[in-house]
Amino acid sequence: MVNPVRTGTSFAAHSRADLAVLVPELLLCGQLIDRSGMAHLISAFGREGMAQVAIEEWQASSPWYTRRMQRALRYESDSVETIFKGLQLDIGAPPQFMDFRYRVDDHDHGEFWLDHCGALMDVEPLGDAYVTSMCHDIEDPTFDATALATNPHAQVRPIHRPPRRPEDRNPHCAWTVVIDPSHVPPAVEPHTEALGRTAAVATELSAIVEDGEGRPDYSGPLLSDVRFADFSKSALVRIAEEVCLQQHMLTLG
């Protein structure tokens, strides 16, 4: 039997081309692992209990892992563009499951919409009550919690969202993001503060080196679609590690 420890199974053992394929799969994996747990929560606590757990886990984890990815790929800022870059690298918005589209108007204003939402496709057959739980009850506090990681005065608000009327409405939903000093920042919840004290938030992962083929970070303008094949190998290793840490933080949350 091959000993995986001795042969080396870290992400660094894989080629750049393989990592470019693996990273979006890891993003999708994080989403699907979390969604698979929702059925168990519904069985134990009902729809409203499931929604409360979902709110708390994303509120607790997303501000911390969002900031980590910003630092790792050197796109830290307080702008709408930075918020959108974070969503492109978030297990809450995997590119093979959700088709997010973005428009940046200026530093403080932008919109995003979903031309396709796999989560909605899962939940719509369950009826409007479940759709409302996901697209209203859960999204309202958790989108703001994610934006809080970039700018405490950012607000994410719906233009339209499901339940869809008419039933085939596209895009599936649309949202504005506005940064305004008059916006009162949402309260930092106790579960968010508690996760901030965990070792996961401070753990050191693989450093990104400057040499080598491909881009070592996500500085520069927002891309319509992130092409993981354009990143360097060491950047892809770090992204893969951060995505796995996102999964762990979500579990902690």
Side-chain angles (χ1 to χ4, degrees), residues 30-45:
Q31 171 77 197
L32 297 183
I33 289 173
D34 183 71
R35 293 189 63 76
S36 69
M38 295 299 105
H40 299 282
L41 292 173
I42 292 169
S43 296
F45 306 115

